């Protein structure tokens, strides 16, 4: 049986949908089973025969983390340590989600980060995610850590929703052009997570997963606009200009890595995965938004 932790989050929501679709038996929990409280994990897990844990929970507020340092570490380090301890004690196989922010982003733009590249987080969120990875490595001999980046999905706040809202509200939208990465549709990552379980894989370790391709936030925003316009998600008579700006013109509490493209060679080879390009995945996401329009309007509105 599978225990999905963090099922109310953006990624967890799509993992849960897929678990249902594939008719896999699972339990799920979110904040009501606080991962930073070991006893809460024990209480929930009592009398359950768990083979896999998928941990999609986490503290994910990148800018707020700069002031809520203890809270970020309480969840992303201590909480992850508890999950690892619980897994070790019960011989449960763990799939944990980590982030591109464990890297500093100073890598040459021609070489995507591989799993073995040197980590060096430049913000609190990245440091707390790396601390979580280290706890897992200390406690478990075998584990799956999947680092991902630039996530968006139907559930939760994300860049695509923010852009769609700004395209409604403004005539000019300014977006940073000097940070590069690979957007990732949560549905695609959920598929990769379940592949590991369905293969009953023993090829443990750290893996990278994002959609294929590399773009800047500015190019991403422009593509969202063009596609959303074509798909009728933006009114015909509404014209918006997307303008490129520099990171220094858009100050945020947390510094972001300039470049965070992750190499997917290892995960593709090990699990014989085909990964879609970000462009195709985005198109697919926007089509599902169009199909779910009423439910979605409220999210874009936020
Ligand atoms: N979003 C991205 O762009 C991105 C990029 C790279 C990596 N990741 C990683 O991918 C994973 C999933 O991200 P996501 O964007 O889907 O996150 P998310 O939407 O913020 O979901 C995380 C879930 O965990 C819950 N949670 C928080 N503290 C908890 C606790 N102490 N015990 C149990 N549950 C708790 C959250 O509840 P509340 O919402 O009520 O706090 C939320 O439902 C995370 O590990 C994240 O670090 C995300």
């Amino acid at each position: 049986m599978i225990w999905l932790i963090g099922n109310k989050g953006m990624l967890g929501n799509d993992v849960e949908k897929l678990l249902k679709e594939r008719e896999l038996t699972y339990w799920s929990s979110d904040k009501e089973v606080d991962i930073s409280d070991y006893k809460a994990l024990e209480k929930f897990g009592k009398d359950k025969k768990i083979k896999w844990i998928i941990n999609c929970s986490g503290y994910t507020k990148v800018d707020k983390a700069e002031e809520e340092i203890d809270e970020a570490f309480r969840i992303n380090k201590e909480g992850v340590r508890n999950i690892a301890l619980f897994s070790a004690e019960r011989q449960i196989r763990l799939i944990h989600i980590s982030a591109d922010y464990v890297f500093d982003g100073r890598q040459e733009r021609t070489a995507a980060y591989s799993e073995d590249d040197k980590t060096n987080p430049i913000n609190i969120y990245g440091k707390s995610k790396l601390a979580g990875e280290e706890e897992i490595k200390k406690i478990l001999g075998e584990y799956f850590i999947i680092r991902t980046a630039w996530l968006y999905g139907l559930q939760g706040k994300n860049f695509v929703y923010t852009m769609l809202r700004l395209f409604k509200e403004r005539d000019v939208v300014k977006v940073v052009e000097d940070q590069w990465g690979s957007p990732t549709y949560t549905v695609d990552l959920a598929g990769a997570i379940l592949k590991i379980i369905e293969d009953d894989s023993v090829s443990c370790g750290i893996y990278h997963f994002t959609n294929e391709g590399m773009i800047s936030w500015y190019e991403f925003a422009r593509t969202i606009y063009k596609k959303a316009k074509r798909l009728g998600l933006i009114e015909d008579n509404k014209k918006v200009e997307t303008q490129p700006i520099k990171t220094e013109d858009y100050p945020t509490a947390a510094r972001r890595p300039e470049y965070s493209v992750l190499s997917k060679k290892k995960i593709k080879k090990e699990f014989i995965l085909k990964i879609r390009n970000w462009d195709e995945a985005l198109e697919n996401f926007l089509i599902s938004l169009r199909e779910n329009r009423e439910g979605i309007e409220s999210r874009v509105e936020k």
Side-chain angles (χ1 to χ4, degrees), residues 171-225:
D171 298 324
V172 176
V173 174
K174 297 180 179 178
V175 187
V176 290
E177 60 155 3
D178 52 359
Q179 288 172 30
W180 289 268
S182 315
T184 310
Y185 186 15
T186 44
V187 165
D188 294 16
L189 176 53
I193 293 171
L194 286 213
K195 181 80 167 58
I196 295 176
I197 295 182
E198 286 172 334
D199 284 2
D200 204 13
S201 175
V202 286
S203 306
C204 307
I206 298 183
Y207 288 94
H208 287 173
F209 183 96
T210 62
N211 280 118
E212 294 281 14
M214 168 182 111
I215 42 165
S216 69
W217 288 113
Y218 166 69
E219 286 170 81
F220 192 28
R222 264 170 59 94
T223 314
I224 295 166
Y225 179 73

Side-chain angles (χ1 to χ4, degrees), residues 9-11 30-31 34-35 57-58 60 97 125 129 148 151:
M10 184 162 66
L11 173 63
D30 202 82
K31 259 204 162 143
D34 183 352
I35 60 166
S57 72
T60 57
I97 309 303
Y125 168 74
K129 291 299 287 184
T148 189
L151 281 185

Side-chain angles (χ1 to χ4, degrees), residues 35-64:
I35 60 166
S36 65
D37 174 4
Y38 189 77
K39 288 207 170 83
L41 296 181
E42 274 188 324
K43 193 172 163 211
F44 186 89
K46 196 169 165 273
D47 304 328
K48 293 188 174 77
K49 226 175 158 356
I50 302 162
K51 183 170 177 193
W52 289 91
I53 285 181
I54 308 171
N55 179 31
C56 296
S57 72
Y59 179 100
T60 57
K61 290 170 269 180
V62 176
D63 287 311
K64 263 216 157 139

